[in-house]
Amino acid sequence: NSHQSPVHFDLVLIPSLLVLHPSALPILFQEEMSNKEATEGEAVTLHCKLSKSAPVEWRKGNKVLKPSEKYKIEQEGPFAELVIRDLDLADA
């Protein structure tokens, strides 16, 4: 009669590390656009800074603004800028 001893297994828990990829983080305003005052017929520059580079869409109400003689739109990394030329009351 051979007597077998029981086999013991130890359960070891290894903590895991969760690393969030930068692309998974939400995009936030680091510097929000502020109100500007300007004179009719002149130009005004509006700008903002995001927490990371991402496409920016400028709107006036529901209308998406596109680059034109009236609007100059530039972006470099997280910095976005809108220049409105030849201001009139409708641009407020």
Side-chain angles (χ1 to χ4, degrees):
N1 236 1
S2 69
H3 187 265
Q4 294 182 344
S5 32
V7 178
H8 294 282
F9 294 95
D10 292 325
L11 178 62
V12 179
L13 296 177
I14 301 171
S16 62
L17 177 63
L18 175 62
V19 178
L20 286 178
H21 193 273
S23 65
L25 299 174
I27 300 167
L28 304 170
F29 283 107
Q30 284 195 329
E31 184 185 316
E32 293 197 29
M33 192 176 70
S34 56
N35 289 331
K36 297 278 179 125
E37 220 173 274
T39 306
E40 206 171 340
E42 293 184 355
V44 69
T45 301
L46 304 171
H47 66 272
C48 65
K49 181 183 177 188
L50 305 174
S51 54
K52 63 180 178 178
S53 182
V56 169
E57 188 175 77
W58 292 92
R59 292 176 178 240
K60 184 177 188 311
N62 292 329
K63 180 186 173 191
V64 177
L65 305 180
K66 301 287 183 191
S68 64
E69 289 294 316
K70 179 80 172 171
Y71 304 112
K72 178 183 171 189
I73 297 171
E74 291 187 338
Q75 184 169 357
E76 189 174 321
F79 299 94
E81 185 176 89
L82 168 68
V83 178
I84 306 173
R85 301 177 179 116
D86 192 22
L87 288 167
D88 59 40
L89 290 175
D91 294 316

